[in-house]
Each structure stands twice: as C-alpha cells, then as structure tokens.
C-alpha cells in the first residue's frame, strides 16, 4: 500500500500552523489514481485550513510500480540520512528482479516514469540525452559567445514512430519559458545501444 505521514508546518502564505499530509511511498499498482498526481507534481499538495491557499510539501518519496517491478526514489538533499529499514526493503526488491533508480530532481522522476512506461532502457536514453545536452551547451557558447558553463536541461518526451524512421524526442531548455523539442534518429545509435534500447530485462539483476 501507499504510505503517508503527517507533519506540523506553518503555511507559507499566512503562517498558520497546522498538520499536513504527505506521501512517503506511492504504490501506483494498488492505487493507480495516484499516478496522475505524481506526474502532475501535485502528490503532496495540501490546502491551508486558514487561508485556503495551496501548500506543496517538498519531500522525497518512493514510487512503486508492482506490475512492472519498478522502484523509483526521489531524494531531497536535506533528507539524506541513513534509513536501514528502507535500504533493506530496496535491496530485497532488487534481489527479486526490480529495477531501482534514485533521482534528486522531480523532473528526473517524471522522466524515468515516462521512459519505463515506454518500455525503454533508461540507460540508453540517458546516454543519448547526455549527447544532446553536450551538443546544445557547446552550440549556445559558439552562437552567443558565452564563456563558462551553460546548463541545458534535456528530458525524454517520447518515441516517435514514422513510416521509415523512429526517433527519440526530448524536451530541451535552459529556462522553463523557452522549451524546445529535439529529436534523435534511432538509426544513429551505436549497435549495442540499438540492441538494448527496448531491452528492459537486461537492467534487472
């Protein structure tokens, strides 16, 4: 089952103290209605009992897909503490054939969900997104003559299937207000990447 907890916290809008609920584990197989909340970023949204404005609790949690044996962990930097109980559960699941990934950004969690929902090998997709990011970072430096690091964000969007071509589509942006879409032709993958792109089972121990 999904596990939630309660915490006392002041509303950021009116400073009223109240108990708020947040999820520690989300099981989308047993409670499929929670998946849309995760994807929309509204997993831990509450409404202030005083001013009625939305309060979003920033907290890490486990995303558990029993059907496809996927376990994703969103970890928040200030929550980095040893949890022997949780670690033992994760180790046992990996031993049972689960694919486990730990991410540190909510956007990366959503990306992982989309990749695995598309039945793709996330390591191959990450390698391609890394190539796209490097290309964009270097291109913007040349065009704008910018010195130093330039940090593009690149996230998987979907696989596009055409009559003769398959492409991996990515969201790319340096600022959320300037999102563009870029595509990578699957035929340009290395041989081992082509062989493993649709091979999720290779990721299981």
């Amino acid at each position: 089952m999904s596990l939630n907890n309660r915490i006392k916290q002041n509303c950021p809008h009116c400073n009223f103290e109240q108990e708020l609920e947040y999820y520690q584990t989300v099981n989308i197989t047993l409670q499929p209605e929670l998946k849309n909340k995760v994807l929309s970023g509204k997993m831990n949204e509450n409404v202030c009992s005083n001013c009625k404005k939305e309060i979003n609790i920033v907290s890490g949690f486990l995303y558990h897909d029993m059907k496809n044996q996927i376990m994703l962990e969103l970890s928040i930097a200030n929550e980095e503490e040893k949890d022997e109980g949780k670690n033992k559960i994760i180790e046992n699941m990996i031993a049972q054939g689960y694919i486990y990934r730990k991410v540190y950004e909510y956007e990366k969690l959503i990306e992982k969900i989309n990749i695995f929902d598309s039945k793709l090998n996330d390591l191959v997709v990450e390698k391609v997104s890394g190539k796209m990011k490097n290309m964009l970072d270097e291109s913007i430096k040349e065009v704008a003559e910018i010195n130093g690091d330039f940090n593009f964000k690149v996230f998987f969007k979907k696989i596009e299937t055409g009559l003769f071509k398959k492409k991996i589509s990515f969201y790319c942006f340096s600022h959320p207000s300037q999102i563009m879409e870029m595509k990578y032709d699957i035929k340009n993958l290395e041989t081992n990447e082509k062989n493993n792109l649709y091979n999720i089972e290779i990721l299981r121990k």
Side-chain angles (χ1 to χ4, degrees):
M1 286 291 292
S2 300
L3 299 176
N4 53 19
N5 204 349
R6 300 187 72 83
I7 187 174
K8 277 194 173 182
Q9 185 169 309
N10 290 356
C11 173
H13 307 290
C14 68
N15 206 37
F16 182 73
E17 186 182 56
Q18 61 208 283
E19 274 200 345
L20 301 174
E21 190 175 73
Y22 66 98
Y23 282 87
Q24 294 174 296
T25 302
V26 179
N27 190 318
I28 59 100
T29 303
L30 298 179
Q31 293 179 278
E33 70 276 8
L34 294 180
K35 183 172 182 177
N36 283 336
K37 283 192 172 184
V38 174
L39 293 175
S40 66
K42 298 181 181 295
M43 191 69 254
N44 287 321
E45 267 196 354
N46 290 260
V47 176
C48 176
S49 57
N50 183 53
C51 70
K52 308 305 179 186
K53 292 185 178 180
E54 290 183 351
I55 304 172
N56 187 35
I57 296 178
V58 179
S59 174
F61 62 91
L62 290 172
Y63 175 92
H64 187 187
D65 182 343
M66 293 171 62
K67 180 181 177 182
N68 297 302
Q69 290 190 299
I70 304 291
M71 175 68 79
L72 306 175
E73 179 180 3
L74 173 64
S75 180
I76 305 301
N78 60 13
E79 293 180 343
E80 283 294 329
E81 297 178 3
K82 288 187 177 180
D83 186 334
E84 297 299 332
K86 181 185 71 176
N87 292 340
K88 191 66 178 177
I89 290 172
I90 292 171
E91 288 174 8
N92 289 337
M93 287 185 164
I94 292 172
Q96 293 170 25
Y98 268 74
I99 298 171
Y100 166 75
R101 297 288 185 263
K102 187 173 187 176
V103 297
Y104 298 90
E105 298 176 85
Y106 205 101
E107 294 90 345
K108 292 299 292 183
L109 176 76
I110 294 174
E111 179 186 50
K112 291 291 184 184
I113 293 171
N114 290 333
I115 291 172
F116 288 125
D117 280 355
S118 301
K119 309 298 182 186
L120 300 176
N121 183 321
D122 69 316
L123 300 184
V124 175
V125 176
E126 275 190 5
K127 191 171 181 181
V128 176
S129 67
K131 292 178 183 178
M132 301 285 280
K133 173 179 166 50
N134 290 338
M135 180 186 70
L136 288 166
D137 287 347
E138 291 304 315
S139 295
I140 197 67
K141 287 179 187 178
E142 292 179 9
V143 172
E145 297 183 349
I146 297 173
N147 295 320
D149 293 333
F150 198 87
N151 188 25
F152 260 96
K153 299 280 189 179
V154 180
F155 296 107
F156 170 82
K157 180 182 178 184
K158 62 182 178 180
I159 287 282
E160 293 188 358
T161 305
L163 187 59
F164 301 107
K165 291 183 179 180
K166 285 187 179 180
K167 295 182 179 180
I168 308 175
S169 178
F170 294 91
Y171 289 118
C172 310
F173 59 90
S174 58
H175 189 277
S177 65
Q178 300 173 327
I179 296 176
M180 60 182 172
E181 185 177 342
M182 294 191 69
K183 301 173 184 180
Y184 189 92
D185 199 322
I186 289 178
K187 73 177 183 181
N188 293 326
L189 292 173
E190 298 175 6
T191 301
N192 67 317
E193 293 171 342
K194 287 180 184 177
N195 293 338
N196 291 332
L197 179 61
Y198 290 96
N199 187 356
I200 293 181
E201 298 309 308
I202 198 174
L203 302 174
R204 305 186 193 276
K205 291 187 178 180

